[in-house]
Amino acid sequence: MVYIVGFWHMIGYTKAIQNYKNIITYRLTWVILATFVFVSGYFIGKNSIELHKQTLISFYLKKVMRIYPLYFLSILVFTYFGLSDFKTSIKAFFLVSMFVKPSPPTLWFITMIMFFYVISPFLIFVCKNIKKIKIIVIYLIVSLLLMLYYYFTKLLDLRFIVYLPAFIFGIFVAVNDEQSISTKLVILASVVGALISFFLNTPHKQLNMLFSTLLVTSASFFLFNVFRKMSFKNTKIMASIILLSYSSYCMYLFHRPIYIILKKLYFPNSLFLQLLYLIVIGLPCIFILSLYLQKFYDKSNRMLTNHYNLDAPKIARR
């Protein structure tokens, strides 16, 4: 989130750095987003989610309460600031933007990940009970059907196809023996994926993303393995990482409107000072506002949960 908020999107609000979106940074961004998707799949896969009505209701309710209200608020804010038109916002509200594009900028990722959460209990079942080769065959069939849908309608957001395997792979790693997955094979897949992605580079961004699917899927697993083995003995560094992680969802949802507000309040003429202003003033503002918004929401959510006893089993409530 620091990369997305503090570089990839932030630089777009000034002309201080030219050509920062290029053949390398595009792919780096896709890999970073895919790593987040992989981690999401991994931690969901660590949960015991059975295909039973009560279990599914509990799982979906927790996900909705954790994600959707703040997402809905961000849709309203995006619409107010002209970042999304009314029609696009309505589609985002109903979480259909991935299949009836366009999506609002930035918020497309939340629409996609929430759909991944919807299908995750079924993906867990598949990864637990079906052999690897059959999982690959099922994935290829689904991808083919999605590509046919895109070909005939042009409504599918192709990013859905690009990031889906990273989510599935994350779940698969979580529910299976991780030692059975060859690190050397993953590294080889990353290298081959990188070669395919760079050598098949075209003027069309979405086509380039499709060619990068192998790269982002394998590289996300590689990065996940590298970073989870790191330990931070310095408690202040660890505390900072935890605090950033806690604030990151709101940072992602609201950084664009905050940048717009800051630019309207004041923006230097010098390109260097613009960049400095966005880094020194913009990023801390985004972090602080996001931190307190998340705290306020979590406190309100806990009060609501305790008031209605939403976490209690149905029989206990009776």
Side-chain angles (χ1 to χ4, degrees):
M1 290 305 142
V2 171
Y3 171 83
I4 296 296
V5 173
F7 172 74
W8 190 246
H9 288 168
M10 184 191 72
I11 303 301
Y13 290 91
T14 177
K15 295 181 179 180
I17 300 177
Q18 301 293 324
N19 301 319
Y20 71 97
K21 291 186 176 182
N22 53 60
I23 189 172
I24 295 174
T25 57
Y26 264 122
R27 283 151 184 80
L28 176 61
T29 303
W30 299 337
V31 168
I32 287 173
L33 290 175
T35 304
F36 183 90
V37 172
F38 178 94
V39 171
S40 297
Y42 179 84
F43 283 111
I44 283 182
K46 285 296 183 183
N47 295 324
S48 297
I49 306 172
E50 301 295 334
L51 296 181
H52 299 302
K53 181 180 177 181
Q54 198 60 37
T55 307
L56 292 175
I57 290 174
S58 176
F59 171 74
Y60 290 138
L61 184 61
K62 287 179 180 178
K63 283 298 177 186
V64 167
M65 292 304 295
R66 169 71 179 88
I67 297 171
Y68 194 82
L70 287 170
Y71 168 69
F72 175 67
L73 176 61
S74 69
I75 292 174
L76 296 179
V77 174
F78 268 55
T79 307
Y80 175 80
F81 281 98
L83 293 166
S84 175
D85 59 62
F86 182 75
K87 185 178 178 180
T88 302
S89 296
I90 289 295
K91 289 188 291 184
F93 172 80
F94 287 106
L95 302 175
V96 297
S97 301
M98 287 288 103
F99 301 96
V100 191
K101 65 178 187 180
S103 307
T106 304
L107 300 185
W108 66 268
F109 187 83
I110 310 302
T111 308
M112 180 188 72
I113 205 74
M114 286 193 72
F115 189 86
F116 287 170
Y117 292 158
V118 169
I119 62 175
S120 58
F122 307 95
L123 292 175
I124 291 172
F125 176 83
V126 169
C127 290
K128 278 184 177 180
N129 299 284
I130 298 179
K131 294 181 179 179
K132 294 178 185 178
I133 187 65
K134 290 184 178 180
I135 294 174
I136 294 172
V137 171
I138 293 171
Y139 162 72
L140 291 175
I141 292 172
V142 171
S143 296
L144 177 61
L145 292 174
L146 288 170
M147 288 300 298
L148 288 173
Y149 174 70
Y150 173 79
Y151 179 78
F152 286 109
T153 67
K154 297 298 186 293
L155 293 176
L156 178 72
D157 192 320
L158 290 177
R159 289 174 290 195
F160 184 88
I161 297 178
V162 174
Y163 293 109
L164 177 60
F167 188 76
I168 297 173
F169 195 24
I171 290 177
F172 180 84
V173 171
V175 302
N176 290 277
D177 180 13
E178 298 177 33
Q179 300 302 320
S180 65
I181 301 171
S182 171
T183 304
K184 291 181 179 179
L185 186 60
V186 172
I187 294 174
L188 177 62
S190 299
V191 172
V192 172
L195 291 173
I196 293 172
S197 178
F198 281 100
F199 278 102
L200 295 182
N201 188 58
T202 74
H204 306 287
K205 179 186 171 184
Q206 289 201 326
L207 191 59
N208 291 337
M209 290 188 71
L210 283 176
F211 290 148
S212 298
T213 303
L214 177 61
L215 168 64
V216 301
T217 304
S218 53
S220 62
F221 173 70
F222 175 74
L223 288 175
F224 171 73
N225 264 340
V226 169
F227 283 102
R228 72 171 175 169
K229 291 175 182 177
M230 295 175 64
S231 60
F232 295 94
K233 295 181 180 179
N234 188 312
T235 54
K236 289 184 178 180
I237 293 176
M238 198 62 211
S240 300
I241 292 173
I242 292 171
L243 207 58
L244 276 171
S245 299
Y246 178 76
S247 310
S248 63
Y249 182 50
C250 283
M251 288 174 65
Y252 187 80
L253 290 178
F254 299 105
H255 66 277
R256 284 192 181 277
I258 293 173
Y259 279 137
I260 290 174
I261 291 171
L262 289 174
K263 283 190 67 175
K264 287 183 177 181
L265 291 175
Y266 170 74
F267 206 53
N269 293 322
S270 165
L271 293 179
F272 173 75
L273 291 179
Q274 288 178 7
L275 185 62
L276 193 65
Y277 175 70
L278 291 172
I279 294 172
V280 176
I281 304 297
L283 287 179
C285 283
I286 290 169
F287 169 69
I288 293 168
L289 291 171
S290 298
L291 174 64
Y292 283 98
L293 178 58
Q294 188 68 62
K295 284 186 174 181
F296 173 77
Y297 176 72
D298 286 345
K299 184 178 180 181
S300 303
N301 194 18
R302 282 194 298 270
M303 291 173 61
L304 180 66
T305 301
N306 293 333
H307 179 74
Y308 289 103
N309 204 17
L310 294 178
D311 285 335
K314 197 172 184 180
I315 294 175
R317 290 204 301 271
R318 290 177 181 172

